[in-house]
Amino acid sequence: MIIVGLGNVGKKYENTHHNAGFLALDSIAKANQLEFRLEKKLQAYICEYIYQNKKHLLVKPTTYMNNSGIAVKLILDYYKKSIDDLFVIYDDLDLQIGTIRIRKSGSAGGHNGIKSIIQYIGSSQFARLRIGIKKEREIDTISYVLSKFSKKEMDIIVNIMSNMPNIIDDLLNNGVEYIMNRYNGVNNEICL
């Protein structure tokens, strides 16, 4: 499986709302003592995750959010994988902080990273996990998604991220339907 976390590369984007996908992959890598390496030709940071004797990839595109599809297409082509092998983790402004939603497919919902992936791979039929980052204050959207999590938000996000390794292991063991049934509708701030 190719597990892609969306975000923007660079120090100034660390711990910003738009980098929730990167934070998720960092959490999975840390829990499994894995390190990312830069693969320039694939325009991504990648680490191999061996789980039950099968190789999976954790991928953080270096193309910046709005061009995420470039890296995703390169990686799918290079590893000869189909969209059935793709799982994307990203932020969602429509979901409350502390909430995740998993779907088998769907539209971009206004998310430029997902729009780019759909454009480059020619389909929206890939599984995804959305991490809620809904605004608590009045601020324009671009400024908000590029702003850092507040202390209160970060406490919630850290809790969600601590559960990402379990969610991904459940995905690899049991598939998307299983994690949809297990994790959708759960307020991760309280219950996971």
Side-chain angles (χ1 to χ4, degrees):
M1 179 147 287
I2 309 285
I3 301 161
V4 178
L6 299 187
N8 290 307
V9 292
K11 198 109 180 114
K12 74 176 186 176
Y13 297 111
E14 286 178 5
N15 296 324
T16 59
H17 294 90
H18 227 13
N19 272 30
F22 277 13
L23 290 171
L25 263 61
D26 289 341
S27 175
I28 297 160
K30 184 177 179 185
N32 293 284
Q33 298 167 343
L34 304 171
E35 288 195 27
F36 286 91
R37 69 183 185 281
L38 178 60
E39 290 289 344
K40 286 185 181 178
K41 68 181 176 188
L42 299 176
Q43 298 186 44
Y45 284 97
I46 295 175
C47 70
E48 293 181 0
Y49 178 32
I50 308 297
Y51 185 77
Q52 297 186 347
N53 298 318
K54 290 185 180 172
K55 182 169 87 170
H56 306 279
L57 295 178
L58 303 180
V59 175
K60 298 193 296 185
T62 60
T63 52
Y64 293 95
M65 183 64 79
N66 293 355
N67 292 311
S68 298
I70 295 169
V72 171
K73 175 78 168 128
L74 284 169
I75 288 160
L76 289 176
D77 289 350
Y78 182 80
Y79 288 98
K80 297 177 176 52
K81 296 290 186 180
S82 75
I83 58 172
D84 294 336
D85 299 308
L86 180 62
F87 188 77
V88 180
I89 303 173
Y90 62 101
D91 60 285
D92 190 319
L93 268 169
D94 294 327
L95 292 176
Q96 291 294 333
I97 292 219
T99 304
I100 63 167
R101 287 285 181 275
I102 302 158
R103 294 180 65 187
K104 285 184 175 180
S105 64
S107 71
H111 193 285
N112 289 333
I114 296 299
K115 280 182 194 172
S116 176
I117 293 171
I118 292 169
Q119 175 190 347
Y120 277 91
I121 69 172
S123 176
S124 62
Q125 301 301 302
F126 56 89
R128 74 270 314 260
L129 183 155
R130 298 176 293 147
I131 298 168
I133 62 159
K134 192 165 188 170
K135 293 190 273 186
E136 291 182 353
R137 56 193 188 275
E138 277 306 309
I139 183 174
D140 74 275
T141 299
I142 293 171
S143 296
Y144 179 75
V145 298
L146 296 178
S147 69
K148 305 250 183 215
F149 286 107
S150 68
K151 164 100 175 69
K152 178 183 170 189
E153 291 171 335
M154 200 64 193
D155 289 344
I156 296 166
I157 289 297
V158 165
N159 190 40
I160 290 171
M161 296 312 161
S162 70
N163 289 292
M164 281 297 150
N166 296 332
I167 294 170
I168 295 305
D169 288 353
D170 281 343
L171 168 69
L172 299 177
N173 274 326
N174 305 299
V176 176
E177 289 273 353
Y178 178 84
I179 64 169
M180 286 171 64
N181 291 330
R182 179 158 187 200
Y183 298 102
N184 277 349
V186 173
N187 183 325
N188 293 281
E189 183 180 350
I190 299 165
C191 302
L192 282 180

